[in-house]
Amino acid sequence: KMMTDTHLAIGDRLISPILTDREIHCLTLVAEGRKPDEAVNGLALSRSEIDVALTSARIKLNASNLLHAVSIAMLIGAIDHSDQTHSE
């Protein structure tokens, strides 16, 4: 039986420890809807450093694209997916 990337990500082997703090911060900003150019100011990193971190995270999570990487990171608990910006 073949497993999907998501099952691998949330299965017995926890993937989040392999992500660096920089990768987690960059994925979190993407999850919040920020563009990489906006993240440059928020993280005091260059655009190329952010691109490298996001690409590295995508590869480590075996994700097909950035949105997929963010989804996997949320599923495994590497980034917080609760919406704290809108209190109602």
Side-chain angles (χ1 to χ4, degrees), residues 8 15-21 23 53-63 72:
L8 178 64
I15 292 177
S16 58
I18 66 170
L19 293 175
T20 66
D21 287 343
E23 291 163 348
L54 291 172
T55 299
S56 176
R58 184 185 57 75
I59 291 167
K60 287 179 180 180
L61 295 172
N62 198 26
I72 292 171

Side-chain angles (χ1 to χ4, degrees), residues 20-67:
T20 66
D21 287 343
R22 179 178 289 183
E23 291 163 348
I24 292 170
H25 289 315
C26 290
L27 286 171
T28 299
L29 290 173
V30 171
E32 292 172 352
R34 297 192 191 170
K35 294 181 170 76
D37 290 334
E38 295 172 314
V40 168
N41 296 330
L43 291 177
L45 299 172
S46 72
R47 173 62 193 261
S48 65
E49 289 173 314
I50 291 172
D51 289 342
V52 166
L54 291 172
T55 299
S56 176
R58 184 185 57 75
I59 291 167
K60 287 179 180 180
L61 295 172
N62 198 26
S64 56
N65 57 45
L66 187 54
L67 180 58

